[in-house]
Coordinates of all heavy atoms in Angstrom, one line a residue:
S248 N 8.5 -31.0 -20.2 CA 7.9 -31.5 -19.0 C 6.5 -31.9 -19.1 O 5.8 -31.4 -20.1 CB 8.1 -30.6 -17.9 OG 7.2 -29.5 -18.1
A249 N 6.0 -32.8 -18.3 CA 4.6 -33.4 -18.5 C 3.6 -32.2 -18.5 O 2.7 -32.2 -19.4 CB 4.3 -34.2 -17.3
H250 N 3.7 -31.3 -17.6 CA 2.7 -30.2 -17.5 C 2.7 -29.3 -18.9 O 1.7 -29.0 -19.4 CB 3.0 -29.2 -16.4 CG 2.4 -29.7 -15.1 ND1 3.0 -30.6 -14.3 CD2 1.2 -29.4 -14.5 CE1 2.3 -30.8 -13.3 NE2 1.1 -30.1 -13.3
V251 N 3.9 -29.0 -19.3 CA 4.0 -28.2 -20.5 C 3.6 -28.9 -21.8 O 2.8 -28.4 -22.5 CB 5.5 -27.7 -20.7 CG1 5.5 -26.9 -22.0 CG2 5.9 -26.8 -19.6
N252 N 3.8 -30.3 -21.8 CA 3.4 -31.0 -22.9 C 1.8 -31.1 -23.0 O 1.2 -31.0 -24.0 CB 4.0 -32.5 -22.8 CG 5.3 -32.6 -23.2 OD1 5.8 -31.6 -23.9 ND2 6.0 -33.6 -23.1
R253 N 1.3 -31.3 -21.8 CA -0.1 -31.2 -21.7 C -0.8 -30.0 -22.1 O -1.9 -30.0 -22.8 CB -0.7 -31.6 -20.3 CG -0.6 -33.1 -20.1 CD -0.8 -33.5 -18.6 NE -2.1 -32.9 -18.0 CZ -2.3 -32.8 -16.8 NH1 -1.4 -33.2 -15.8 NH2 -3.4 -32.3 -16.3
L254 N -0.1 -28.9 -21.7 CA -0.7 -27.5 -22.1 C -0.6 -27.4 -23.6 O -1.6 -27.0 -24.3 CB 0.2 -26.4 -21.4 CG -0.2 -25.0 -21.9 CD1 -1.6 -24.6 -21.4 CD2 0.9 -23.9 -21.4
V255 N 0.6 -27.7 -24.2 CA 0.7 -27.5 -25.7 C -0.2 -28.4 -26.4 O -0.9 -27.9 -27.3 CB 2.2 -28.0 -26.1 CG1 2.3 -28.0 -27.6 CG2 3.2 -27.0 -25.4
E256 N -0.4 -29.6 -26.0 CA -1.4 -30.5 -26.5 C -2.8 -30.0 -26.5 O -3.6 -30.0 -27.5 CB -1.3 -31.8 -25.8 CG -1.6 -33.1 -26.7 CD -1.3 -34.3 -25.8 OE1 -0.1 -34.7 -25.6 OE2 -2.3 -34.9 -25.4
S257 N -3.2 -29.5 -25.4 CA -4.5 -28.9 -25.2 C -4.8 -27.7 -26.0 O -5.9 -27.4 -26.4 CB -4.7 -28.6 -23.7 OG -4.0 -27.4 -23.4
L258 N -3.7 -26.9 -26.3 CA -3.9 -25.7 -27.1 C -4.1 -25.9 -28.6 O -4.7 -25.1 -29.3 CB -2.7 -24.8 -26.8 CG -2.7 -24.0 -25.5 CD1 -1.3 -23.5 -25.4 CD2 -3.8 -23.1 -25.4
G259 N -3.6 -26.9 -29.1 CA -3.5 -27.2 -30.6 C -2.8 -26.1 -31.2 O -1.6 -25.8 -30.8
K260 N -3.4 -25.4 -32.2 CA -2.6 -24.3 -32.9 C -3.0 -23.0 -32.3 O -2.5 -21.9 -32.8 CB -3.0 -24.4 -34.4 CG -2.6 -25.5 -35.2 CD -2.4 -25.2 -36.6 CE -1.7 -26.3 -37.3 NZ -2.5 -27.4 -37.7
S261 N -3.7 -22.9 -31.2 CA -4.1 -21.7 -30.6 C -2.9 -20.9 -30.0 O -2.0 -21.5 -29.4 CB -5.1 -22.1 -29.5 OG -5.9 -21.0 -29.2
N262 N -2.9 -19.6 -30.2 CA -1.9 -18.7 -29.5 C -2.3 -18.6 -28.1 O -3.4 -18.4 -27.8 CB -1.9 -17.4 -30.2 CG -1.2 -17.3 -31.5 OD1 0.0 -17.7 -31.7 ND2 -2.0 -16.9 -32.5
L263 N -1.3 -18.6 -27.2 CA -1.6 -18.5 -25.8 C -1.3 -17.2 -25.2 O -0.1 -16.7 -25.4 CB -0.8 -19.6 -25.0 CG -1.1 -19.6 -23.5 CD1 -2.5 -19.9 -23.2 CD2 -0.2 -20.8 -22.8
I264 N -2.2 -16.5 -24.6 CA -2.0 -15.3 -23.9 C -2.1 -15.6 -22.4 O -3.0 -16.2 -22.0 CB -3.2 -14.2 -24.2 CG1 -3.2 -14.1 -25.8 CG2 -2.9 -12.9 -23.6 CD1 -4.6 -13.5 -26.2
I265 N -1.0 -15.2 -21.6 CA -1.0 -15.6 -20.2 C -0.9 -14.4 -19.3 O -0.4 -13.5 -19.6 CB 0.2 -16.5 -19.9 CG1 0.0 -17.3 -18.6 CG2 1.6 -15.9 -20.0 CD1 1.0 -18.5 -18.4
G266 N -1.8 -14.7 -18.2 CA -1.8 -13.6 -17.1 C -1.5 -14.5 -15.8 O -2.2 -15.5 -15.7
V267 N -0.6 -14.0 -15.0 CA -0.4 -14.8 -13.7 C -0.3 -13.6 -12.6 O 0.6 -12.7 -12.7 CB 1.0 -15.5 -13.8 CG1 1.3 -16.1 -12.4 CG2 1.0 -16.6 -14.8
D268 N -1.2 -13.7 -11.7 CA -1.2 -12.7 -10.6 C -1.9 -13.3 -9.4 O -2.7 -14.2 -9.5 CB -2.1 -11.5 -11.0 CG -1.9 -11.0 -12.4 OD1 -2.3 -11.6 -13.4 OD2 -1.4 -10.0 -12.5
R269 N -1.6 -12.8 -8.2 CA -2.4 -13.1 -7.1 C -3.8 -12.4 -7.4 O -3.9 -11.5 -8.1 CB -1.9 -12.4 -5.8 CG -0.8 -13.1 -5.1 CD -0.3 -12.3 -3.8 NE 0.0 -10.9 -4.1 CZ -0.8 -9.8 -3.8 NH1 -2.0 -10.1 -3.3 NH2 -0.4 -8.6 -4.1
L270 N -4.8 -13.0 -6.8 CA -6.2 -12.5 -7.1 C -6.3 -11.1 -6.3 O -6.8 -11.2 -5.2 CB -7.2 -13.5 -6.7 CG -8.6 -13.2 -7.1 CD1 -8.7 -13.2 -8.6 CD2 -9.6 -14.3 -6.6
D271 N -5.9 -10.1 -7.0 CA -5.9 -8.8 -6.3 C -6.4 -7.8 -7.2 O -6.1 -7.7 -8.4 CB -4.4 -8.4 -6.0 CG -4.3 -7.4 -4.9 OD1 -4.8 -6.2 -5.2 OD2 -3.8 -7.6 -3.8
Y272 N -7.3 -6.8 -6.7 CA -7.8 -5.8 -7.5 C -6.9 -4.8 -8.1 O -7.1 -4.2 -9.1 CB -8.9 -5.0 -6.7 CG -8.5 -4.5 -5.4 CD1 -7.7 -3.4 -5.2 CD2 -8.8 -5.2 -4.2 CE1 -7.2 -3.0 -4.0 CE2 -8.4 -4.8 -3.0 CZ -7.5 -3.7 -2.9 OH -7.1 -3.2 -1.6
S273 N -5.6 -4.8 -7.6 CA -4.7 -3.9 -8.1 C -4.1 -4.4 -9.4 O -3.5 -3.7 -10.2 CB -3.4 -3.8 -7.1 OG -2.8 -5.0 -7.0
K274 N -4.4 -5.7 -9.8 CA -3.7 -6.4 -10.9 C -4.4 -6.1 -12.2 O -4.0 -6.5 -13.3 CB -3.6 -7.9 -10.7 CG -2.8 -8.2 -9.4 CD -1.3 -7.9 -9.5 CE -0.5 -8.2 -8.3 NZ 0.9 -7.9 -8.4
G275 N -5.7 -5.5 -12.1 CA -6.3 -5.1 -13.3 C -6.8 -6.3 -14.2 O -7.1 -6.2 -15.4
I276 N -7.2 -7.4 -13.5 CA -7.6 -8.6 -14.3 C -8.9 -8.4 -15.0 O -9.2 -9.0 -16.1 CB -7.6 -9.9 -13.3 CG1 -6.3 -10.1 -12.6 CG2 -8.0 -11.1 -14.1 CD1 -6.2 -11.1 -11.6
I277 N -9.7 -7.6 -14.4 CA -11.1 -7.5 -15.0 C -11.0 -6.8 -16.3 O -11.7 -7.2 -17.3 CB -12.0 -6.7 -14.0 CG1 -13.5 -6.7 -14.5 CG2 -11.6 -5.3 -13.7 CD1 -14.2 -8.1 -14.4
N278 N -10.2 -5.8 -16.5 CA -10.1 -5.1 -17.7 C -9.3 -5.9 -18.8 O -9.6 -5.8 -20.0 CB -9.3 -3.8 -17.6 CG -10.3 -2.7 -17.1 OD1 -11.4 -3.0 -16.8 ND2 -9.8 -1.4 -17.1
R279 N -8.6 -6.9 -18.3 CA -7.9 -7.9 -19.2 C -9.0 -8.7 -19.9 O -9.0 -9.0 -21.0 CB -6.9 -8.7 -18.3 CG -5.6 -9.0 -18.9 CD -4.8 -9.8 -17.9 NE -4.2 -8.9 -16.9 CZ -3.5 -9.4 -15.8 NH1 -3.4 -10.6 -15.6 NH2 -3.0 -8.5 -15.0
F280 N -9.8 -9.2 -19.0 CA -11.0 -10.1 -19.5 C -11.8 -9.3 -20.5 O -12.2 -9.8 -21.6 CB -11.8 -10.6 -18.3 CG -11.3 -11.7 -17.5 CD1 -10.0 -12.2 -17.8 CD2 -12.0 -12.2 -16.4 CE1 -9.4 -13.2 -17.0 CE2 -11.4 -13.2 -15.7 CZ -10.2 -13.7 -15.9
K281 N -12.1 -8.0 -20.1 CA -13.0 -7.2 -21.0 C -12.3 -6.9 -22.4 O -12.9 -6.9 -23.4 CB -13.4 -5.9 -20.3 CG -14.3 -6.2 -19.1 CD -14.8 -4.9 -18.5 CE -15.9 -5.2 -17.5 NZ -16.0 -4.1 -16.6
A282 N -11.0 -6.7 -22.3 CA -10.3 -6.4 -23.5 C -10.2 -7.6 -24.4 O -10.2 -7.5 -25.6 CB -8.8 -6.0 -23.2
Y283 N -10.2 -8.8 -23.8 CA -10.1 -10.1 -24.6 C -11.5 -10.2 -25.2 O -11.5 -10.6 -26.4 CB -9.6 -11.2 -23.7 CG -9.5 -12.5 -24.5 CD1 -8.5 -12.5 -25.6 CD2 -10.2 -13.6 -24.2 CE1 -8.4 -13.7 -26.3 CE2 -10.1 -14.8 -25.1 CZ -9.1 -14.8 -26.0 OH -9.0 -15.9 -26.8
E284 N -12.5 -10.0 -24.5 CA -13.8 -10.1 -25.0 C -13.9 -9.2 -26.2 O -14.5 -9.6 -27.3 CB -14.9 -9.8 -24.0 CG -16.3 -9.8 -24.5 CD -17.3 -9.5 -23.5 OE1 -17.0 -8.9 -22.4 OE2 -18.5 -9.6 -23.7
N285 N -13.5 -7.9 -26.0 CA -13.5 -6.9 -27.1 C -12.8 -7.4 -28.4 O -13.2 -7.2 -29.5 CB -12.9 -5.7 -26.5 CG -13.3 -4.5 -27.2 OD1 -14.4 -4.3 -27.7 ND2 -12.5 -3.4 -27.1
L286 N -11.7 -8.1 -28.1 CA -10.8 -8.6 -29.2 C -11.6 -9.5 -30.1 O -11.6 -9.5 -31.3 CB -9.6 -9.3 -28.6 CG -8.6 -9.8 -29.8 CD1 -7.5 -8.8 -30.1 CD2 -7.9 -11.0 -29.2
L287 N -12.3 -10.5 -29.2 CA -13.0 -11.5 -30.0 C -14.2 -11.0 -30.9 O -14.6 -11.4 -31.9 CB -13.6 -12.6 -29.0 CG -12.5 -13.3 -28.2 CD1 -13.1 -14.3 -27.2 CD2 -11.5 -14.1 -29.2

Side-chain angles (χ1 to χ4, degrees):
S248 68
H250 276 84
V251 174
N252 281 349
R253 275 169 57 197
L254 174 68
V255 171
E256 214 172 284
S257 71
L258 285 167
K260 290 205 172 82
S261 204
N262 285 304
L263 182 60
I264 305 163
I265 195 167
V267 174
D268 315 75
R269 278 182 308 102
L270 191 62
D271 195 298
Y272 48 80
S273 64
K274 303 292 181 182
I276 302 170
I277 189 72
N278 279 8
R279 223 174 278 176
F280 284 2
K281 287 182 176 162
Y283 186 59
E284 177 181 11
N285 203 25
L286 180 92
L287 299 178

